[in-house]
Amino acid sequence: MRRRLAFGLLVGVSVLVAGCGKGSGVVPVGGRVTLEGEPVKNMMVNFTPAGETEGHGAIAVTDADGRFTLQGVRGESGVRVGEYKVSFYPADVPATPDDPADVVGASRRRTGLPGIYLDANQTPLRVAIPEGGGTVEVILTKSGKGATTKVTPKESK
């Protein structure tokens, strides 16, 4: 009985160690968000996997200059290579007394961002993260038209 238990533990630890040796597939990604040329500050940036992209996505909060560094939902720094939908949510939205469930409406009033950017299902913003990661520039417009993302791949050393 002890031999079986010891063998089972040995196999389990071996599988665990082998799994830890693999790379996470996560690459470093940072960037900047602007609205009509002005930095968008204190906003949560949400990268939601699209298409065949694996993983759970990543989030960040913009600073006073609109800059952010993505963190995976499991705490890793960065995001997996692939295609993402980009949406936003205010980092400090208070509940509205008239309708606490109306977070999109409250967010739009509080941020001045068109509601289309606040909905991960309707956002027009897409970005393809390349191997090695990079810097993402998110350019928003008040009308919601002409908004875009630009990626500068990280330079290879």
Side-chain angles (χ1 to χ4, degrees), residues 78-157:
V79 69
R80 290 181 178 265
V81 171
E83 183 183 349
Y84 292 86
K85 297 184 284 185
V86 181
S87 60
F88 299 90
Y89 187 80
D92 62 349
V93 172
T96 55
D98 53 328
D99 186 2
D102 185 20
V103 292
V104 172
S107 300
R108 183 177 27 230
R109 289 187 298 275
R110 175 120 165 62
T111 66
L113 292 181
I116 196 165
Y117 300 136
L118 304 174
D119 185 341
N121 293 318
Q122 294 185 18
T123 181
L125 300 169
R126 301 287 187 275
V127 64
I129 301 301
E131 293 285 336
T135 303
V136 178
E137 184 178 357
V138 183
I139 303 165
L140 305 178
T141 62
K142 287 183 181 178
S143 69
K145 295 182 181 184
T148 189
T149 59
K150 296 179 183 177
V151 178
T152 303
K154 186 174 181 180
E155 293 182 24
S156 300
K157 292 182 180 178

Side-chain angles (χ1 to χ4, degrees), residues 4 15 24 52 54 58 62 76 82 89 97 117 121 132-133 140-141 149:
R4 285 185 186 172
V15 167
S24 66
E52 301 294 316
E54 295 180 2
T62 59
E76 66 276 13
Y89 187 80
Y117 300 136
N121 293 318
L140 305 178
T141 62
T149 59

